[in-house]
Each structure stands twice: as C-alpha cells, then as structure tokens.
Amino acid sequence: MSPLQDHFVHVQCGDCPIRHRAVCARCETDELMRLEQIKYYRSFQAGQTIIWSGDRMEFVGSVVSGIATLTQTMEDGRRQMVGLLLPSDFVGRPGRATAAFDVTATTDLVMCCFRKKPFEEMMLSTPHIAQRLLEMTLDELDAAREWMLLLGRKTAREKIASLIAIIARRDAALQRKRTPVALSVDLPLTREEMADYLGLTLETVSRQISALKRDGVISLEGNRRVMIADIDRLMEEAGDDSDGGILV
Amino acid sequence: MSPLQDHFVHVQCGDCPIRHRAVCARCETDELMRLEQIKYYRSFQAGQTIIWSGDRMEFVGSVVSGIATLTQTMEDGRRQMVGLLLPSDFVGRPGRATAAFDVTATTDLVMCCFRKKPFEEMMLSTPHIAQRLLEMTLDELDAAREWMLLLGRKTAREKIASLIAIIARRDAALQRKRTPVALSVDLPLTREEMADYLGLTLETVSRQISALKRDGVISLEGNRRVMIADIDRLMEEAGDDSDGGILV
DNA sequence: CGCTTCGTTGACTCTTTTCAAATTCAGTGG
DNA sequence: CCACTGAATTTGAAAAGAGTCAACGAAGCG
C-alpha cells in the first residue's frame, strides 16, 4: 500500500537508538549478531493498526521510533487504552498465539520485528533476552498498577496532571536526560486518546486542561505543547505521594 | 506475637497443593530439591500486613493458602487495590530493593517464602524458574489490563458483575474444575475491599449487589456467598465481549 | 477557499459519591 | 440459650463530579 509499509534499510544493532533500553539491552556482541540475523524492520503510518485483538500474532518486536497504543474496546464502542508504547518498548507476548489487545500506531512508527517462533527459540537459548524481558514486564506491571490507581481513584483534574507528569517523565527518561524534567512537553496524543488513556470523555479532558491553564499550573503553546509553569505544583495536583522523584 | 507467626511444619514440595501452578511449576525433581532447601513457611493472620510499600523486601514467595491483596493508598486515604493474590500467586519483585505496594493478608494465610538474594541467584542458574515467573508476570499484566478497562470504562453495575465473574473463574481454575463455573461463589472480600478493587465506594457496591439481586441475576446466602442464578446473564451484565469462555 | 478533523465551551442530565441513619451479623460473656 | 457489643452492611436523601448533546472556533489540507 503505502511506501511506509516497505522494509527499512537494515540498521546495525550497535548503532540502534534503543540498543541499551530494549529487550536486547543485555545482549553481548555475539548474541546481538544472532538477533541481527532474524530481525527485520517494519514501518507503519500514523493511525494504522499494527495488530488486532484476537489476531494470530506472527511477530514480536520493539518500537524503534514513534508511538503506539494498546487498547481494548467494548462492543458498544467504549474504549480504554491499556498501554502506551514509546521507543524501546516491547510489543507482543511470547508464548501466546493470539493478541489480547489492539495495537495501533498513533504516529508514524518503526518497529524492529522478530518472527515469533525464532524469537521464542532464541529466548530459550539466550538467558539475557529472557532476563531483560522479565525485567521490562515487571516494570510494565508496576506501571499498570500505578495506572489502576489513576483510573480507579483520581479525579479528572488529577488524571490530567498525572498524564502530563507521566509523559514528561517518560520522555526525559528516553532522552537519558537526568534533568528534573523538561519545562515543556509534547503531548503525543489527541484529546480523545488522552481521554482513552484516562478513562474520561474528551470534553472533560479539554475542560480540565483549560482549568489547569486558567489556574496557572501549565500553559499551552499550540494544542499539543504544554509548558509546565511549576513542576512541584503539577506533581501536587497529580496527587502522587511519591514526590517528584525523577523517572521511571 | 501470635502463634500463627510461627513457622509451619515443612511440607515436601512434591506434596504441595500449589506445586503445579506456582513459580516452581516447571521445576524438575532436582531443582525442586534445591528450592526445598531455601524455602520456609510463614503464616499471617487475617488483616495482618505482610509488606508495607517502601519497605525493604527481605523475601519473595508464593501464596500457599488464603488470600492477600496488593493496594496503593493516597495521602488522603483513597485506596485502590491493584492485585488480588490467590494460592499459587507470586509475591515480590526480584531485582528491586523496596516494595512498591502494600501487601495485606485478608484471610489467614500461609506463604512459601524464599529469602530474596538466594532466590535471585537461583533464578539465574535455574531457567525453569525464570521462565515460569515470566509467564506468570505476563499473565498478571494481561489481567491488570483487563482490570484497567473495568476501572476506566465500566459502570458500577458492570463492575460488580465482572468481579463476581472474575472470582468465580479464578476459583474454578484453582480447583482445576473445568466445570463451566460453580453455581455459588464465596466472596473473599468485604464490601469495602470490593470497593477498593472496583474503584467505587462501599455504599455503591452494596447498592449494586442489591440491584443485581433484585433483578434476579444473583441471590445471596448470607453476606458473602453468591448464588449465580444465570451465568450467561451475569456475563452479559459484566459487559465483557470475550464470551463466557472458561478460565484464565 | 471549502472541507474535514480537532479542540473548546455551554447547558443540562445522570451516575456515583457523600453524609447520615437504620439494620443485620458475628462473636462474647452471662 | 440469649442479651450485648462492635463491625459490616444496607438504605435514604442530597450534592457533586463527570457525561451527554449541541454549537462553535481553529488548524491543516487538497
């Protein structure tokens, strides 16, 4: 279909931007060489669905660039985002035949893919991969549990403040900047996607963003860029007891 | 303190009721023997806190009998359950020094514990343990994501119906009964604990249970035992598209 | 320039929460 | 066995927060 569907040039793992955070992070040179042989790149356009829930999973892989979401939809159309995948995040579930959630590219996106079978075999022979995957999965589980607190107990205002803080933290982590957190953050999501992340309607998202702006906690530069006026205030509004401690 | 604090008699792993579901499920006889040497039992009374969020984690382990919860609490007291641990479920996070959530026994409970350090070392030398732990963690992550849909998008009535269905499924799984699902289920939680699970208040929980009863979807036998009048109806009320398919 | 998508705002509705009181239940000691 | 006590649960009435429906404005694109 689109030119973006075509496979990308093959990048050497050593030069890969996510080399030290992805599932391959702990691999030695020789292990990397074996991965190199079974990997391939795939690109997706913004809006394109990567995997449908219920589909047979042919591959697993890592997000190299761009952003993807994991979502669940009820028959009547209510939708909840259950994962936000940034570069280095892993997609797929070794040991399961079909996908449990929809995976969608929300921006143009490049994935480093492995056919599922060879990857599973390699996991058995390469403890470094399984170890790293376990570590990443445990981290995701912790993140999911924080997210559950947000969904179950936070007010709309706290949800918005939390989302901004989460995104600020995550992309500070990605850029390996240990700076307390950027003063301005790009929201990679539409209002509707934020609503799906937060368990709100898009109208409520819009209203609460306006309210935080009105109250001087943030300011906007266009619709997508948020300037964080007062980071401590934002953390306070987010209602997290874990103080503004940096990162993941 | 209490007599229950004392260590239990040492049960042979071969006779352990959770032998085939817990983190040791894939272990061979010799691997089991090594686990046997480092394990010890601990008992907790109903209501007792097993681990406080932020505490140094000295041990990890499996729930052998009884029920525990993972919860998060905000400064102002709002509380969200983020894990419900039944027999065979794993407690603790290898590779992390401090606990991220409170773990509490909601019934009298027995755990099979391993000091964290020896267990971590054993994970490195015993792929079967790491493999099983990865599998269990991925399952928990999937469960957490279903839970997120519940918290973010379901109505109070759907939440209650879902909870009853989830508990029915989980203890059918535990008893290895492949029967479609018991006709009656014991709710191992108080109304308040259910509320913390579902992101509701206890009053709303009570009201919705009454409503389901009034509408003939369930009936109660005492406060804790639910008779499921019509399982298909219950699944429908729960709003899950995944049809009443059995188990985990 | 018109079209479509995205975002904001307003008015009103409705579900769930909050606050308060009544009721049931389980365990204790008489 | 029964009355008593405190915890758990149910129920009611009022309030609040978020949702729904609808209109309007802004930005990107052919």
Side-chain angles (χ1 to χ4, degrees):
Chain A
M1 311 199 153
S2 96
L4 277 168
Q5 275 277 31
D6 299 336
H7 292 186
F8 260 33
V9 288
H10 201 84
V11 172
Q12 292 295 310
C13 289
D15 301 332
C16 178
I18 58 170
R19 163 76 178 91
H20 297 289
R21 293 185 60 87
V23 72
C24 52
R26 294 196 186 178
C27 288
E28 312 283 353
T29 318
D30 58 319
E31 295 165 335
L32 225 46
M33 280 170 59
R34 274 190 293 154
L35 271 181
E36 188 95 51
Q37 286 166 354
I38 64 169
K39 85 179 189 193
Y40 57 97
Y41 290 102
R42 277 186 71 181
S43 297
F44 299 88
Q45 287 183 295
Q48 206 178 344
T49 296
I50 299 172
I51 304 166
W52 291 101
S53 169
D55 274 6
R56 187 153 202 78
M57 286 188 291
E58 308 292 354
F59 65 92
V60 298
S62 302
V63 176
V64 176
S65 65
I67 291 172
T69 62
L70 274 182
T71 57
Q72 263 187 107
T73 308
M74 297 172 69
E75 302 97 323
D76 62 4
R78 279 175 286 174
R79 190 161 32 159
Q80 177 63 53
M81 196 184 298
V82 297
L84 180 61
L85 307 175
L86 304 191
S88 81
D89 285 330
F90 188 78
V91 177
R93 212 212 112 131
R96 174 160 302 175
T98 62
F101 311 101
D102 296 329
V103 185
T104 311
T106 60
T107 65
D108 289 345
L109 179 139
V110 178
M111 275 190 63
C112 173
C113 302
F114 311 96
R115 276 180 305 118
K116 190 156 142 288
K117 200 63 187 286
F119 185 82
E120 285 168 355
E121 282 157 11
M122 194 154 167
M123 269 182 61
L124 291 175
S125 63
T126 315
H128 283 161
I129 295 179
Q131 284 165 15
R132 175 64 182 145
L133 185 59
L134 174 58
E135 182 178 46
M136 292 173 73
T137 306
L138 286 165
D139 285 341
E140 267 193 281
L141 186 55
D142 282 352
R145 286 171 166 161
E146 292 286 341
W147 199 338
M148 285 170 56
L149 174 66
L150 177 149
L151 291 172
R153 294 303 188 191
K154 290 189 179 178
T155 64
R157 170 182 267 245
E158 288 169 338
K159 285 178 176 183
I160 296 289
S162 298
L163 176 60
I164 295 170
I166 288 167
I167 292 176
R169 255 201 300 274
R170 285 190 66 174
D171 74 38
L174 263 183
Q175 289 156 37
R176 313 187 135 282
K177 290 184 185 156
R178 299 286 160 181
T179 9
V181 137
L183 297 124
S184 87
V185 193
D186 240 336
L187 299 177
L189 305 173
T190 63
R191 297 290 184 264
E192 184 171 20
E193 287 162 343
M194 292 185 227
D196 288 342
Y197 186 113
L198 300 171
L200 297 170
T201 59
L202 65 92
E203 292 95 332
T204 301
V205 169
S206 180
R207 274 188 253 271
Q208 294 298 335
I209 289 178
S210 299
L212 287 175
K213 195 171 55 177
R214 195 165 46 243
D215 297 346
V217 183
I218 58 170
S219 57
L220 295 189
E221 205 177 87
N223 276 331
R224 293 298 192 88
R225 180 156 281 273
V226 176
M227 319 287 294
I228 302 173
D230 179 348
I231 187 78
D232 295 325
R233 175 79 186 287
L234 184 72
M235 295 304 300
E236 212 174 282
E237 294 280 0
D240 293 321
D241 49 352
S242 52
D243 59 287
I246 334 177
L247 311 193
V248 174
Chain B
M1 311 203 148
S2 95
L4 277 167
Q5 275 275 29
D6 300 334
H7 292 186
F8 258 33
V9 289
H10 200 82
V11 173
Q12 292 295 311
C13 289
D15 301 331
C16 179
I18 59 170
R19 164 75 179 90
H20 297 287
R21 294 184 61 86
V23 73
C24 52
R26 293 197 188 178
C27 287
E28 311 282 354
T29 316
D30 59 317
E31 294 166 334
L32 225 46
M33 281 171 59
R34 274 192 292 153
L35 272 181
E36 189 95 50
Q37 285 165 355
I38 63 170
K39 87 180 187 191
Y40 58 96
Y41 290 102
R42 277 186 75 182
S43 298
F44 300 88
Q45 287 183 293
Q48 207 178 342
T49 297
I50 300 172
I51 304 167
W52 292 99
S53 169
D55 274 6
R56 188 152 201 76
M57 286 188 289
E58 308 292 355
F59 64 92
V60 298
S62 302
V63 175
V64 176
S65 64
I67 291 173
T69 61
L70 274 182
T71 57
Q72 265 189 104
T73 308
M74 298 172 69
E75 303 95 323
D76 62 4
R78 280 176 285 173
R79 190 162 28 161
Q80 177 65 51
M81 195 185 297
V82 297
L84 180 62
L85 307 175
L86 303 192
S88 83
D89 285 331
F90 189 78
V91 177
R93 212 213 110 128
R96 173 160 301 175
T98 62
F101 311 101
D102 297 330
V103 185
T104 310
T106 60
T107 64
D108 287 346
L109 178 140
V110 179
M111 274 191 63
C112 173
C113 303
F114 311 97
R115 276 182 304 118
K116 191 156 141 290
K117 199 64 187 283
F119 184 83
E120 284 168 356
E121 281 156 11
M122 196 154 167
M123 270 182 59
L124 291 175
S125 63
T126 315
H128 283 161
I129 295 180
Q131 284 165 14
R132 175 63 183 146
L133 186 58
L134 175 58
E135 182 178 46
M136 291 174 73
T137 306
L138 286 165
D139 284 341
E140 269 193 280
L141 186 55
D142 282 351
R145 285 170 168 162
E146 293 286 340
W147 199 339
M148 286 170 55
L149 174 66
L150 177 149
L151 291 172
R153 294 302 187 192
K154 290 190 179 179
T155 64
R157 168 181 268 245
E158 289 168 338
K159 285 178 176 183
I160 296 289
S162 298
L163 176 60
I164 295 170
I166 287 168
I167 292 176
R169 254 202 300 273
R170 285 190 67 174
D171 72 38
L174 263 183
Q175 290 157 36
R176 312 186 137 282
K177 290 185 186 154
R178 299 286 159 181
T179 8
V181 138
L183 297 123
S184 87
V185 193
D186 238 336
L187 298 177
L189 305 173
T190 64
R191 298 290 184 264
E192 184 171 19
E193 287 162 342
M194 292 186 228
D196 288 342
Y197 187 113
L198 300 171
L200 296 171
T201 60
L202 66 91
E203 293 93 332
T204 301
V205 169
S206 179
R207 274 187 253 273
Q208 294 299 334
I209 289 178
S210 299
L212 287 176
K213 195 172 53 176
R214 196 167 42 245
D215 297 346
V217 183
I218 58 171
S219 56
L220 294 189
E221 206 179 85
N223 276 331
R224 293 297 191 86
R225 178 155 283 272
V226 176
M227 319 286 294
I228 302 174
D230 179 347
I231 187 78
D232 295 325
R233 176 80 186 286
L234 185 72
M235 295 304 302
E236 212 174 278
E237 294 279 1
D240 292 320
D241 47 352
S242 52
D243 59 289
I246 333 179
L247 313 191
V248 171

